[in-house]
Amino acid sequence: MKKQTLTLLTAAFAVAGLHAADWPQWGGVNSRNMVSPETGLPVEMAPGKKLGPKAAPKIAGRLRPDAQEANTAPGAEDIDISTTKNCLWVAKLGSQTYGTPVVADGKVFVGTNNESPRNPAHIGDRGIVMVFEEKTGKFLYQMVSPKMGTGKVNDWEYLGVCASPTIVGKKGYVPGNRCQIICFDVDGMANGNQGMQDEAAFMASPGPDGKPVEVPPGAQDMDILWVYDMYKELGVFQHNATSGYPLVVGDKVFVATCNGVDWTHTNIPAPNAPSFIMLDANTGELLGEQSAETSARVLHASWSSAIEADVKGQQQIVFAAGDGWIYGLAPETKPNEEGLNLLKEYWRYDANPPEYRKDESGKPRKYAEFDGPSEIISTPVYYDGLVYVPIGQDPEHGEGLGMFSCIDPTKTGDISGKPVWTFKGIERSISTPAIKDGLIYVGDYTGRLFCLDAKTGKEQWKFDTKGHIWGSPLVADGKVYIGNEEGELFILAEGKEMKELGSVEFPSPVMGTPVAANGVLYVTTHTHLYAFKQGAQGVAKN
């Protein structure tokens, strides 16, 4: 009887705690399913009005990061907090933000650029990760990473850091903009400078004479523990940006290298460099890599994020690659003839149907054309024993044919052409699915949100946002949140019946994915990070 009572109490506490949880990585957990247990999230929200130029002082022609006026709550910066609704706080970001925030250890982390510099000593194009206090929106510290210096084909101007960190305990892991994986101390410099002692050199950028100009790190700079440089160590030729969210499994970190094509979009400069690697989470040492054949046939770049799946007791790392294939790998290696430690492969699946690869005469179709093949940028999701993933391309290539696949990861070898089911009603997508109660919610770049049956792929409904979708849907509190390039956030009811509950218009594009953590809904636009909470009245304190 006592044992039964203890079990029931444990279960009750577990359920009670579901409404208040961190969101420490892309997708919340290693399966990457965009579903949150949070409740009480708002439907009605207002992002507020921007202050005029007199109320928002500037540095070098840009909004000063500490710009505040009497009618703003500290932390709101250039937004009049009195004109918001259900808004706890607002934080100013750069001019282009593609990173989706993560929430852990009382902090909010987000990748952006440096067009609203927090430190006047670092002016100009940089990759930035900003860190804020979760309760108040107070700026705590940042990572500053100058440009790669090899041209925009490697490090495109003003993209900044295109992802956000994965937080595990007191360590964070994030891809920088210079083809690097960076591990840092979540507490920042508050507990001293740990690990790497050369942050000044890391942040240095060329001065007028071409020599690096170093700025000593301060309390508002990231405390870097180690850096793994994929460009220098592996010869990776990243295309445009370093992207993808690190996957941490035990003491191992799995990341995409973003190896890709050059400016011609036809030549692969580094076909022998890996597209996917495994690092030691404590030291940054290279432990293993995927076979280079993925890079040898890459269509554009490998920007997706890996997932962990427990497939009937077998641990799998599932990686969707830039060649349009998805791979089921073991977190173990086997040396090849050249002495490289290659990740063992369980299965592989071509997510493009044959007719996207070749036309009726058998001639290869051209990449980036409407009916040509696509890579995978979306993150696959593992749900109820199956893997789900759509194909898509860099949005600069426009709209085009897509396909959504459901895959059985218990199979082995090349399982191309053997999916559980496919859905071709979707066009190109870079949207990661959210799956709950047997229903899949996924967007396509064209701007439509689909609801599909997870077992059959049958379309239940679709909703047209009438704006390109870059981000992914979040399912939480009986609602589906999805943003678009027009700066609109749509809220729909979850379930088999399509019902629009509301919408919010923001002053700049919503390229990331909404995140719910500890009773708060976070929405990132290109320029601001909003923390919405039901009943909040801008009570942030700096």
Side-chain angles (χ1 to χ4, degrees):
M1 188 67 177
K2 289 182 179 180
K3 183 177 180 181
Q4 184 181 13
T5 302
L6 179 61
T7 302
L8 290 173
L9 284 172
T10 302
F13 282 128
V15 172
L18 285 178
H19 73 281
D22 285 349
W23 190 266
Q25 63 173 305
W26 173 245
V29 294
N30 283 2
S31 65
R32 309 290 199 181
N33 193 6
M34 300 291 180
V35 175
S36 168
E38 295 293 330
T39 59
L41 301 176
V43 172
E44 295 185 3
M45 293 167 274
K49 298 179 180 179
K50 287 189 176 182
L51 296 168
K54 290 184 179 180
K58 298 182 177 182
I59 293 178
R62 300 184 181 92
L63 286 172
R64 200 176 76 191
D66 63 348
Q68 295 174 5
E69 192 67 15
N71 61 341
T72 70
E77 296 159 313
D78 65 338
I79 297 293
D80 182 349
I81 202 74
S82 69
T83 61
T84 66
K85 183 173 184 177
N86 287 327
C87 186
L88 184 62
W89 53 261
V90 185
K92 186 74 175 69
L93 302 176
S95 64
Q96 295 184 46
T97 302
Y98 298 95
T100 289
V102 299
V103 184
D105 196 51
K107 304 174 184 68
V108 184
F109 307 77
V110 63
T112 184
N113 70 15
N114 195 45
E115 289 306 281
S116 293
R118 292 283 177 170
N119 184 343
H122 297 288
I123 300 295
D125 194 0
R126 305 280 195 280
I128 300 289
V129 175
M130 290 188 183
V131 184
F132 302 94
E133 188 173 71
E134 181 182 356
K135 291 183 178 179
T136 67
K138 175 185 176 182
F139 174 74
L140 298 176
Y141 64 86
Q142 67 179 351
M143 181 188 82
V144 177
S145 175
K147 301 301 285 182
M148 194 170 175
T150 55
K152 66 181 183 181
V153 68
N154 293 131
D155 190 5
W156 199 271
E157 60 237 16
Y158 303 112
L159 285 184
V161 172
C162 290
S164 294
T166 295
I167 308 299
V168 179
K170 288 294 185 178
K171 290 181 180 178
Y173 304 85
V174 67
N177 56 290
R178 295 184 293 190
C179 203
Q180 298 170 326
I181 304 300
I182 297 120
C183 175
F184 64 92
D185 182 354
V186 168
D187 287 330
M189 294 285 185
N191 59 353
N193 193 347
Q194 314 294 324
M196 187 183 83
Q197 299 294 302
D198 208 5
E199 282 87 355
F202 178 88
M203 295 186 292
S205 59
D209 59 358
K211 296 181 179 180
V213 178
E214 295 190 0
V215 178
Q220 292 190 329
D221 289 309
M222 180 174 282
D223 182 7
I224 298 174
L225 301 178
W226 55 256
V227 177
Y228 185 80
D229 194 316
M230 298 178 290
Y231 176 73
K232 292 179 180 179
E233 299 294 334
L234 300 171
V236 167
F237 188 91
Q238 81 170 29
H239 184 78
N240 292 168
T242 315
S243 189
Y245 294 74
L247 172 71
V248 180
V249 180
D251 58 359
K252 298 173 181 176
V253 182
F254 298 87
V255 293
T257 67
C258 305
N259 195 42
V261 297
D262 64 11
W263 65 274
T264 68
H265 279 203
T266 58
N267 180 52
I268 303 170
N272 295 320
S275 292
F276 187 64
I277 60 174
M278 177 174 70
L279 303 174
D280 186 298
N282 297 309
T283 65
E285 176 190 359
L286 178 67
L287 299 178
E289 58 192 82
Q290 188 188 25
S291 168
E293 67 175 301
T294 302
S295 287
R297 62 187 184 191
V298 69
L299 296 168
H300 193 237
S302 289
W303 287 337
S304 183
S305 307
I307 70 170
E308 179 190 15
D310 182 348
V311 182
K312 293 186 176 180
Q314 181 187 74
Q315 188 182 41
Q316 292 190 15
I317 307 300
V318 180
F319 173 60
D323 59 356
W325 290 65
I326 183 168
Y327 301 87
L329 306 169
E332 303 164 356
T333 62
K334 182 179 180 179
N336 68 356
E337 296 177 355
E338 299 173 355
L340 297 176
N341 291 319
L342 298 185
L343 293 165
K344 297 178 183 179
E345 181 179 299
Y346 293 124
W347 55 267
R348 61 174 61 189
Y349 170 81
D350 187 354
N352 286 271
E355 61 269 27
Y356 292 11
R357 297 282 188 183
K358 295 181 179 180
D359 63 19
E360 297 82 356
S361 65
K363 183 180 179 181
R365 293 190 187 275
K366 292 183 178 179
Y367 172 72
E369 292 189 352
F370 184 86
D371 54 358
S374 288
E375 68 268 36
I376 307 172
I377 300 175
S378 165
T379 302
V381 167
Y382 183 63
Y383 173 85
D384 198 19
L386 299 171
V387 174
Y388 298 85
V389 69
I391 57 173
Q393 297 187 21
D394 185 334
E396 71 173 4
H397 302 160
E399 299 172 14
L401 293 180
M403 188 170 81
F404 192 102
S405 294
C406 173
I407 308 160
D408 181 356
T410 65
K411 296 182 177 181
T412 59
D414 186 345
I415 59 173
S416 301
K418 302 174 183 178
V420 177
W421 55 258
T422 61
F423 175 69
K424 291 186 179 179
I426 192 170
E427 293 193 1
R428 288 176 185 159
S429 171
I430 58 175
S431 180
T432 296
I435 312 175
K436 184 183 177 187
D437 297 334
L439 295 176
I440 302 167
Y441 305 91
V442 63
D444 65 10
Y445 177 65
T446 302
R448 301 169 299 177
L449 177 68
F450 292 84
C451 177
L452 309 176
D453 185 283
K455 293 297 183 183
T456 66
K458 181 181 179 181
E459 181 181 314
Q460 303 298 303
W461 51 260
K462 63 184 174 185
F463 175 80
D464 193 350
T465 72
K466 296 181 172 59
H468 290 145
I469 292 175
W470 292 58
S472 305
L474 172 73
V475 175
D477 193 26
K479 310 174 185 74
V480 184
Y481 295 88
I482 184 74
N484 69 13
E485 192 177 19
E486 300 300 314
E488 298 166 301
L489 178 72
F490 293 90
I491 306 104
L492 296 97
E494 71 169 83
K496 292 185 177 181
E497 181 182 352
M498 195 276 287
K499 182 181 180 181
E500 184 178 356
L501 301 177
S503 63
V504 184
E505 292 189 12
F506 290 86
S508 66
V510 179
M511 310 299 246
T513 300
V515 165
N518 302 316
V520 177
L521 180 73
Y522 297 90
V523 179
T524 307
T525 71
H526 252 349
T527 58
H528 290 81
L529 171 60
Y530 295 84
F532 291 107
K533 185 174 183 178
Q534 187 67 39
Q537 299 178 354
V539 295
K541 295 181 180 180
N542 221 341

